Amino acid sequence: MAAPRRRRVSLDGRTVLVTGASSGIGEATARAVAERGATVLLVARRGDELERVRASIEDGGGRASAYSCDLTDHDAIDALVARVLAEHGAVDVLVNNAGRSIRRSLALSYDRFHDVERSMAVNFFGPVRLTLGLLPAMRSQRSGHVVNIVTWGVQLRAPKFSAYIASKSALDSWSRVAARETYGENVAFTNMRFSLVRTPMSAPTEAYAGRGATPEQAAARVVRAIERRPPHVNTLAGNVGELLNLVAPRLADGLFHRFDRMFPDSRAARGAAGSDARRRSS
Ligand SMILES: NC(=O)c1ccc[n+]([C@@H]2O[C@H](COP(=O)([O-])OP(=O)(O)OC[C@H]3O[C@@H](n4cnc5c(N)ncnc54)[C@H](OP(=O)(O)O)[C@@H]3O)[C@@H](O)[C@H]2O)c1
């Protein structure tokens, strides 16, 4: 059996890899873990944005390295794993944060199977491949933690998010199973089921304007999860929704159907918005 898990884990001197560190929750998390003394490995596609984050962490006295990688490219992930292990040895904490959200109704999705494919590519296959690459070294050193940034949608099953929630639920479930196999080697998994956070990802949806936590508030919750290693971090609304889905699924369907009609597809989802919104939400 593993060592007791309740002890608070210090970030000082740890190596923490954060995907999606060029923006939003990932950037704020990278800054927060670096402030606590961790060496942070920044991963995302945009090398210039990673360099901006890396330079500003190092200017503040922290330690950071940047690795440009498209997490939908499996060969690139394998090369990233090889490079990280060669340069830093085992990663102590992996934060699978990079992701793509798609909020689009079924009525607009009949000819958009690629929405399902690209959600799975970045939200499930990419993080699983990266985790599989880094897990053996964690298990050998008998210490490690994988933190997945998922969504309260895995509990709520909110309409218009079918592709997104399915891909995040896949990662959530995969990790719960993995946690049971790695328990004996002191490697833990945490699923962070976040509600709305104000980032470039949520910006194209007009209904979300001005709502949600800041990236820094979200990052503080990630840091707390790294220190305490819970199996999941939920919201109260997510727990209530999950309970309702369990005990009264037809009632839940009816209530969510009403919400669905109250909040239509965004302009970005309908394809009428500017190119940036389309890039992030199409
Ligand atoms: N915002 C919310 O309300 C909310 C709520 C619950 C959960 N989440 C989850 O939180 C995570 C972070 O999202 P965010 O809100 O902070 O959005 P964001 O600011 O748009 O950040 C997304 C990050 O993912 C990276 N990324 C996207 N595709 C990638 C790819 N193929 N390869 C490598 N990196 C990729 C982006 O970097 P590059 O473009 O440089 O590659 C960026 O750094 C996501 O997994 C999201 O699903 C967000």
Side-chain angles (χ1 to χ4, degrees), residues 19-27 43-47 49-50 69-72 96-101 122-123 149-152 164 168 192-202 208 279-280:
T19 69
S22 60
S23 168
I25 299 167
E27 176 178 346
V43 174
R45 290 166 302 183
R46 289 171 296 167
E49 290 299 312
L50 288 180
C69 178
D70 183 342
L71 292 168
T72 64
N96 284 317
N97 164 78
R100 166 191 284 274
S101 170
V122 70
N123 296 334
I149 309 302
V150 293
T151 164
W152 62 344
Y164 177 62
K168 291 288 192 182
M192 312 259 342
R193 296 155 173 176
F194 274 139
S195 58
L196 191 62
V197 184
R198 271 175 267 151
T199 67
M201 183 178 287
S202 52
Y208 297 159
R279 181 178 67 78
R280 289 189 179 277

Side-chain angles (χ1 to χ4, degrees), residues 63-164:
R63 288 185 299 275
S65 302
Y67 298 89
S68 181
C69 178
D70 183 342
L71 292 168
T72 64
D73 178 339
H74 294 173
D75 291 340
I77 295 174
D78 295 347
L80 170 71
V81 167
R83 207 179 138 198
V84 162
L85 291 175
E87 291 177 9
H88 298 275
V91 166
D92 297 303
V93 182
L94 164 63
V95 182
N96 284 317
N97 164 78
R100 166 191 284 274
S101 170
I102 298 177
R103 179 182 180 273
R104 179 175 286 117
S105 63
L106 288 179
L108 296 179
S109 303
Y110 299 134
D111 61 350
R112 296 186 63 92
F113 183 68
H114 59 285
D115 279 352
V116 179
E117 291 176 313
R118 52 192 176 169
S119 297
M120 292 300 282
V122 70
N123 296 334
F124 182 52
F125 297 133
V128 167
R129 186 143 185 142
L130 181 59
T131 306
L132 287 172
L134 296 175
L135 258 183
M138 286 185 181
R139 295 181 88 171
S140 301
Q141 71 171 7
R142 301 190 71 77
S143 166
H145 190 188
V146 179
V147 178
N148 299 317
I149 309 302
V150 293
T151 164
W152 62 344
V154 305
Q155 295 177 282
L156 293 175
R157 316 282 186 199
K160 295 192 175 68
F161 285 102
S162 51
Y164 177 62

Side-chain angles (χ1 to χ4, degrees), residues 210-223:
R211 295 173 203 254
T214 64
E216 289 71 29
Q217 288 168 330
R221 297 187 75 190
V222 177
V223 166

Side-chain angles (χ1 to χ4, degrees), residues 168-187:
K168 291 288 192 182
S169 297
L171 182 61
D172 190 296
S173 296
W174 187 90
S175 299
R176 293 299 340 122
V177 175
R180 291 168 185 191
E181 296 187 30
T182 60
Y183 185 87
E185 286 116 12
N186 193 30
V187 176

